[in-house]
Amino acid sequence: MAVIAAERAWFERLGSDLVRYLLNLTDEQLERFYGRSAAALSSEQEEVLEELLLLDTQVGLESEGWTLFSWRSTLGRWREDAGMSLGNLARRRSGGLISVPPTGLTEIDETLATLAIDSYPTLLLKHDDDGWGPSVSLSGNPAEQKFIRSIREDSLLGRLFGEEHPIRGRGGSTLRSTGAGGTHSLVGFAETLIGSGWRLALTRKRSPGVADLVEATQHSIDTIRSALTGDSTRVPANFGLAGVLFPASLDVLDFGWGRMRKSDRRDAVFVRSTSLEGQLTSLVSDGLGVAINYSGDVVLEAAVPYLVRTAKFDASLDWSKELDVGQRSVEEYVNIVRLGLLLAVPEVRPVLAPSWQLILDPFSQGVGVSWFDVKNVPGLFPFQLTESQARDWAMWVGRISELRTPSVDIAIRRMVMAVSERQRPDDMLLDAVIVWESLFGSNTDTSLRITSSLAWLLGSSPEDRLLKQAHYRKIYGARPDPCHLLARGGSVGL
């Protein structure tokens, strides 16, 4: 009985994904093992389990509260006698196969693939919700030194590590269009690439296999190569959006440049590193409740331009014009889908609030998620889309994307802010007037040009256009008033 209790405690501590891999279990075997039914394990698996339980006791005694950290180091520890990490040795002894790198790779890529395979068990380890997520351990792996030597000798990737530090050794500094930058060391570069590859693999599949990790890690180093050579390069980016629910019949909306999908288990590892907990519920006409998650029920998948500059940050240099292309793309994508939703359901004007974003920068470490507290977003309410409304949404996003020019970016941004972010009517009016001026303004006769342009577009007859122009002139003429009224605590009466 005590043995079974110890096994279950170990199972819960390490997590089902890792236990399945170490003991080479099928899903059915894993279920039988947890229930400890008859013939759950083979004699080889039982032997490995016994040794792992003894190791768990040792790790617990030596870790002083850092059990998972110690297990990560233990699983990644190189076993010279076996030519692989301890985690992979346990799997092989349990009857499992150990993957090998794909053929036809360069020395750098083959060595990196070898390290990814050896570190795979450490990434499966159940992790604390500390914001860092799964991480890599290459304890004593000789392939890491081979990788370091190969990078130093490489004419392209070696440019990343042109500085010598007395303590950290070879390193360098980069600035990237993802808004990130800083110093990095050649020692640990392989772990960074494998970690970023794992995050990429997790966005593609809920439980990535070894081959998925190797492929995604290769993608990370290839992305850096392309950026260094000046090729047009992009990195994946995911955005959680709160406020709307897809109909049950629909899973994905394809926008061409990106797609919107239902949030699913792939997002959980990233969302749980935030504080986006809880739901917002409202009642609909039939008395049933509609609930949305503050973490978002839909996810926008896109790709943003990726530039890398091997230089330290210098406040005297204006890097923003070149490197803010990534952040501009983020804002553009999100605002396009927000405006598209407003146009698709104008009678409701549902609010779509960005809740978290993940930009898969190959240099980033940790989970890499930034998030926003949406609980106080003005006008946020649960809205259930019909299939027709969802299709209209995709149609409007397509039209905006096709016809949009840089000159209307301000108008799009201010329109979204007026509807989704402003609390006071005065602020909404100011944003709306800025939209008008951005679209129709001129250096002379601004009022006449704006109001007549709006009336011409929206009026149905000459008489209707005259009435609308008079109404728009009244609104536009009130635009200075909010500044004075706010000082007196008043409001605009229109």
Side-chain angles (χ1 to χ4, degrees), residues 353-494:
S355 54
W356 59 269
Q357 73 176 34
L358 169 69
I359 301 178
L360 292 160
D361 184 341
F363 281 102
S364 294
Q365 299 182 5
V367 177
V369 172
S370 58
W371 59 280
F372 319 94
D373 190 351
V374 301
K375 294 180 180 178
N376 296 318
V377 170
L380 182 66
F381 65 94
F383 183 70
Q384 174 69 66
L385 288 166
T386 65
E387 186 167 347
S388 174
Q389 290 168 336
R391 299 296 181 192
D392 286 345
W393 187 10
M395 180 270 294
W396 277 111
V397 169
R399 285 188 178 181
I400 297 169
S401 302
E402 179 185 0
L403 302 175
R404 174 196 153 272
T405 63
S407 62
V408 301
D409 282 348
I410 293 176
I412 292 175
R413 183 171 68 251
R414 288 290 182 162
M415 175 64 74
V416 170
M417 291 172 65
V419 175
S420 305
E421 300 179 16
R422 301 305 190 195
Q423 294 183 339
R424 296 179 60 93
D426 315 90
D427 296 327
M428 295 178 188
L429 173 60
L430 288 175
D431 281 325
V433 167
I434 290 173
V435 172
W436 291 2
E437 291 183 341
S438 176
L439 293 174
F440 307 113
S442 64
N443 294 329
T444 59
D445 295 327
T446 302
S447 177
L448 175 62
R449 179 182 175 89
I450 289 174
T451 56
S452 59
S453 296
L454 283 169
W456 181 262
L457 282 173
L458 303 178
S460 58
S461 65
E463 294 76 14
D464 184 45
R465 290 184 181 117
L466 287 174
L467 291 174
K468 279 184 166 55
Q469 183 180 13
H471 180 61
Y472 299 149
R473 189 183 300 115
K474 180 181 178 184
I475 296 175
Y476 189 73
R479 71 194 186 284
D481 291 347
C483 299
H484 305 293
L485 288 169
L486 285 174
R488 302 195 302 267
S491 61
V492 178
L494 292 173

Side-chain angles (χ1 to χ4, degrees), residues 11 52 89 133 185 195 244 249-250 268 289 366 419 430 466 491:
F11 183 100
L52 289 173
L89 176 59
S185 174
V244 300
S249 58
L250 189 66
V419 175
L430 288 175
L466 287 174
S491 61

Side-chain angles (χ1 to χ4, degrees), residues 99-100 102 117 120 201 204-205 208-218:
S99 300
V100 296
I117 293 168
Y120 180 74
R204 296 171 171 175
K205 186 181 294 186
V210 180
D212 301 314
L213 172 63
V214 171
E215 180 185 354
T217 301
Q218 181 67 49

Side-chain angles (χ1 to χ4, degrees), residues 273-296:
S273 67
T274 73
S275 296
L276 293 167
E277 300 176 344
Q279 293 184 319
L280 178 64
T281 304
S282 68
L283 294 178
V284 293
S285 58
D286 57 5
L288 299 176
V290 176
I292 57 170
N293 292 294
Y294 286 120
S295 59

Side-chain angles (χ1 to χ4, degrees), residues 78-147:
W78 178 255
R79 287 290 300 267
E80 186 68 37
D81 57 334
M84 62 185 64
S85 63
L86 185 145
N88 278 340
L89 176 59
R91 176 176 175 80
R92 190 179 72 177
R93 289 181 56 199
S94 296
L97 296 176
I98 305 303
S99 300
V100 296
T103 58
L105 299 178
T106 66
E107 182 178 82
I108 289 177
D109 296 345
E110 182 179 5
T111 307
L112 182 60
T114 299
L115 290 169
I117 293 168
D118 283 330
S119 63
Y120 180 74
T122 71
L123 291 163
L124 295 178
L125 183 65
K126 185 179 178 180
H127 65 277
D128 295 323
D129 297 338
D130 55 4
W132 285 96
S135 58
V136 181
S137 177
L138 300 172
S139 304
N141 196 314
E144 185 177 20
Q145 290 304 314
K146 181 180 179 182
F147 179 78

Side-chain angles (χ1 to χ4, degrees), residues 194-215:
I194 296 169
S196 66
W198 183 246
R199 289 192 297 276
L200 175 59
L202 285 171
T203 65
R204 296 171 171 175
K205 186 181 294 186
R206 170 60 183 87
S207 299
V210 180
D212 301 314
L213 172 63
V214 171
E215 180 185 354

